[in-house]
Each structure stands twice: as structure tokens, then as C-alpha cells.
Amino acid sequence: MKKALAGILACVLIIFLALVFQREFYEVPILMYHRVGIPGGASDVTVRPEFFDRQMEFLNVHRYHVMPLEELIRALKAVRRLPPKTVVITFDDGSADNIRFAFPVLKKMGFPATIFMITENIDRPGGWLSGEDLKIMNENGISIGSHTQTHAFLPELPIFRAEEELVGSKKKLQDLLGHDVTLFSYPAGGVTPQIQALVEKAGYVGAVTTNYGKKRHDPYALHRIKVGDSSGNLFNFLVKTSGFYSLGKKRVAYQASEHAAYADS
């Protein structure tokens, strides 16, 4: 009897600690993809199409709530708690393989996502999304955000040039899509308080980084988790989508010419 009672009390304590731990440290995972295709060279930012399909099927089978980035930002600003197994999907750069391999899977699963486009690459030969590609995806549950005009590392630009990158890319996307563009991704994760203020001034409602920025749940510097080809292992993917993957990871502030955090995310 005493052993049974001790066991029950131990279970209650574990559940209580888990709930406290979850409330304190849980962070909605924002997945950061780039290319979906056949990896080349030493790059880890390309995910094989079969791996991407398997990852999305994993989210579907295990009933994850795949949330639009805009909705996550609204929830954070309203200080609204989100349930476990919530996840956000994003893509950087605007590679043409996003519509060829990723979009059909996302559409089949009914998953929203955000693609952050380098606007000077729109319609550019060599494997980039076209304006028509962006419009098709935007009409089918995929948000389009800015990744600057030229993929410039903003903290190392003069202020007027950084503003041009932010405002010019936003205007080009808005003219193309016919509606306001409110989401931004810092190239290579480069964000400083000054750059963050410029993003807000330009009219974006939120922005994502990589491993830069020490403040959790900041809608203008949201941390992301890089998904590369090594994440084809579903246990690895499970850990990354747990909400606790970033626990204990070192958050860094920007330093001149420091780009290591990009690969470390």
C-alpha cells in the first residue's frame, strides 16, 4: 500500500514538474528550410524531397498543429499560451525547388508556410522562383515575406542602405502580390537592436532570425531551427520539433563579421 502510494505521488510530482518545465522553457519551434532537392557539396541546407515528404507526414500523423507565422506573432504579442506540438514552417531565399518539391507536399497536407524571398532573384535564371510561382503559392496557403533585395548582411550596411533593402523588397512584393507584406527574415540571421527598429519602422509586424538575439519570444527576432539533410533521421526531427530543442543552446548577440551563428542554428 505504501509503495503504491509512493508511486502515485512520484508520478504526480513528475507530471507537475513537467508542466512547470514546459511552461517555463517551451518555445514553439519555427523550422528553417532553404532548398528541397539533391544536396550538393558540403552544404547542409538542402533537404532531399523524400526526407521533406517524410517530415511533413510525421507532423501530420502525430497531429502537430502547423501554425501560420503571422498567427504565432499575434499570439506572442497577445501573450497567449500555445499548446504543445505547435510548429511553424519557413523557407529562406526563394529557390525554385520550393514550388517543385515542397509546395505539393504542403498543399496535400494542408500546411501553411512562409517563403522569404530575395526580391532581386524573382524571375532570375538559375533556379529561382518566378513572380507567377509566388502568386500561385500565395493564393494557396503560403505566405510570402521579404528576405531583402540582395541578401545583404544588414548589420554591416550603412543605415540608408539597410533601409533600402527593407523598404524596396517590401514594396516589390506588395506590387507583385497586391496586398501588404508583413513578414521579414534577416539574411544570415543578422539582427541588432538598430536593425530591428528599422524593420518595425518599415511596417513589418514580425521577423525571424537564426541563433542571433538573446531574448526569447521577441516578435522581431524570433529564433528558428535549421532543418538540413541530416534531419532526414526522424528521431532528430522529433527532437527539433519538441519545443525544447533550443534549451541550453547558446544565444549570441551580433558581432562584426560574425556569421558562425547562421550555420549553428
Side-chain angles (χ1 to χ4, degrees):
M1 181 69 178
K2 288 183 179 180
K3 285 184 178 180
L5 182 59
I8 292 170
L9 290 174
C11 288
V12 170
L13 179 60
I14 290 170
I15 293 170
F16 173 76
L17 290 174
L19 290 172
V20 170
F21 185 79
Q22 175 181 307
R23 181 175 299 178
E24 182 66 23
F25 298 107
Y26 179 79
E27 187 172 5
V28 172
I30 304 175
L31 303 179
M32 178 178 65
Y33 289 92
H34 288 77
R35 296 179 178 272
V36 179
I38 306 303
S43 174
D44 190 40
V45 298
T46 301
V47 177
R48 299 170 197 268
E50 61 268 30
F51 287 180
F52 182 77
D53 197 351
R54 193 182 307 163
Q55 290 163 1
M56 297 303 103
E57 183 65 28
F58 175 88
L59 297 178
N60 186 47
V61 168
H62 294 281
R63 299 182 182 279
Y64 278 75
H65 174 46
V66 182
M67 172 183 282
L69 179 59
E70 303 98 312
E71 187 178 337
L72 173 62
I73 290 168
R74 285 195 296 270
L76 292 175
K77 289 183 176 182
V79 197
R80 176 163 55 89
R81 283 189 63 197
L82 294 168
K85 299 179 77 171
T86 297
V87 68
V88 173
I89 299 169
T90 68
F91 295 81
D92 277 4
D93 300 341
S95 174
D97 53 52
N98 290 180
I99 192 168
R100 181 181 178 188
F101 295 116
F103 176 57
V105 178
L106 293 168
K107 189 174 181 181
K108 178 178 70 175
M109 299 292 178
F111 289 166
T114 299
I115 291 177
F116 292 103
M117 186 72 206
I118 302 167
T119 57
E120 281 200 359
N121 287 346
I122 298 173
D123 293 315
R124 184 178 170 185
W128 300 102
L129 291 168
S130 68
E132 192 60 31
D133 292 335
L134 293 173
K135 287 191 279 189
I136 289 169
M137 290 191 289
N138 191 229
E139 291 167 1
N140 288 275
I142 307 298
S143 298
I144 309 299
S146 165
H147 202 33
T148 71
Q149 294 174 308
T150 66
H151 203 253
F153 194 67
L154 297 176
E156 295 181 356
L157 292 183
I159 290 299
F160 79 93
R161 281 285 296 113
E163 285 188 298
E164 286 177 359
E165 291 280 349
L166 294 167
V167 175
S169 59
K170 188 176 194 290
K171 183 179 186 306
K172 184 167 183 176
L173 289 172
Q174 289 178 168
D175 289 345
L176 174 67
L177 301 173
H179 61 72
D180 197 14
V181 169
T182 60
L183 301 173
F184 181 77
S185 170
Y186 301 95
V191 56
T192 64
Q194 190 174 31
I195 294 298
Q196 191 170 322
L198 290 178
V199 170
E200 188 169 2
K201 178 185 173 184
Y204 296 97
V205 301
V208 293
T209 178
T210 54
N211 207 29
Y212 282 115
K214 294 184 177 180
K215 186 178 177 183
R216 295 173 68 234
H217 306 312
D218 183 342
Y220 282 96
L222 290 169
H223 303 138
R224 287 184 296 171
I225 299 168
K226 183 177 72 175
V227 184
D229 204 49
S230 62
S231 302
N233 180 313
L234 284 183
F235 179 76
N236 178 297
F237 190 68
L238 168 64
V239 173
K240 288 190 172 186
T241 56
S242 67
F244 299 104
Y245 176 75
S246 299
L247 186 63
K249 283 180 73 69
K250 183 182 179 183
R251 298 299 186 187
V252 293
Y254 166 74
Q255 296 177 11
S257 299
E258 178 196 71
H259 295 69
Y262 182 68
D264 203 28
S265 303

